[in-house]
């Protein structure tokens, strides 16, 4: 009987410690580098669809947001709420100011300062965030695996 309670307690403890990290945006493998000396990247936030090699960044391109010119956050431009809607798998998010993007289909607003979290609209999930690495004037963005 002690074994039963011990196993049950371990299962409950394990389940309680797991973090729900579900994100409906497909996890794709990519790694791309951009040259920050180019004029199109001289903004506090900007979008990138493809690398010069033709490789797509993320599922639908990425939006990059700079904090203090040293830290960059990169988020997929695919809306987590619209990703499965017929005809809208590659929904483009539109920039609204420097720190917000809005899905033109469902109207969800995502805050880039708050890890891509939805602030208004029907989406319950944040934008998929990617890993960034700054080396001089080169910014590398990848999915981290």
């Amino acid at each position: 009987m002690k074994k039963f309670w011990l196993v049950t307690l371990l299962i409950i403890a394990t389940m309680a410690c797991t973090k729900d990290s579900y994100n409906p945006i497909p996890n794709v493998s990519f790694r791309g580098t951009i040259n920050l000396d180019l004029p199109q990247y001289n903004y506090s936030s900007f979008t990138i669809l493809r690398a010069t090699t033709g490789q797509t960044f993320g599922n639908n391109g990425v939006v990059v947001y700079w904090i203090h010119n040293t830290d960059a956050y990169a988020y997929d431009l695919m809306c987590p709420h619209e990703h499965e809607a017929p005809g809208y798998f590659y929904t483009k998010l539109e920039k609204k100011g420097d720190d917000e993007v809005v899905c033109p289909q469902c109207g969800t607003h995502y805050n880039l300062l708050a890890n891509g979290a939805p602030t208004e609209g029907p989406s319950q999930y944040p934008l998929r965030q990617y890993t960034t690495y700054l080396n001089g004037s080169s910014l590398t963005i990848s999915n981290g695996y």
Side-chain angles (χ1 to χ4, degrees):
M1 187 68 166
K2 285 183 180 180
K3 268 188 177 179
F4 170 77
W5 288 112
L6 181 61
V7 170
T8 303
L9 183 61
L10 286 173
I11 291 172
I12 291 171
T14 304
M15 291 174 66
C17 293
T18 55
K19 183 179 176 185
D20 183 14
S21 61
Y22 172 76
N23 191 309
I25 302 297
N27 198 6
V28 296
S29 178
F30 78 96
R31 181 180 184 88
T33 301
I34 60 169
N35 180 353
L36 295 173
D37 290 333
L38 297 173
Q40 64 263 37
Y41 305 131
N42 288 333
Y43 300 95
S44 59
S45 65
F46 53 86
T47 58
I48 308 167
L49 301 180
R50 295 186 181 277
T52 53
T53 60
Q55 178 188 16
T56 302
F57 280 80
N59 287 284
N60 201 26
V62 296
V63 59
V64 176
Y65 182 76
W66 284 100
I67 297 194
H68 307 297
N69 293 329
T70 57
D71 293 325
Y73 295 115
Y75 302 96
D76 203 294
L77 284 173
M78 184 182 287
C79 177
H81 183 72
E82 292 290 328
H83 86 286
E84 289 184 345
Y88 295 115
F89 187 75
Y90 288 104
T91 298
K92 294 281 186 215
L93 294 171
E94 299 171 345
K95 278 183 54 177
K96 182 179 180 186
D98 283 340
D99 60 357
E100 184 177 56
V101 290
V102 179
C103 175
Q105 298 301 321
C106 70
T108 300
H109 294 237
Y110 296 94
N111 186 330
L112 302 179
L113 285 171
N115 295 324
T119 57
E120 180 182 325
S123 183
Q124 298 177 5
Y125 300 103
L127 299 172
R128 181 173 290 283
Q129 187 171 1
Y130 295 118
T131 303
T132 60
Y133 174 73
L134 181 62
N135 183 11
S137 63
S138 294
L139 178 66
T140 300
I141 303 169
S142 70
N143 67 344
Y145 76 92

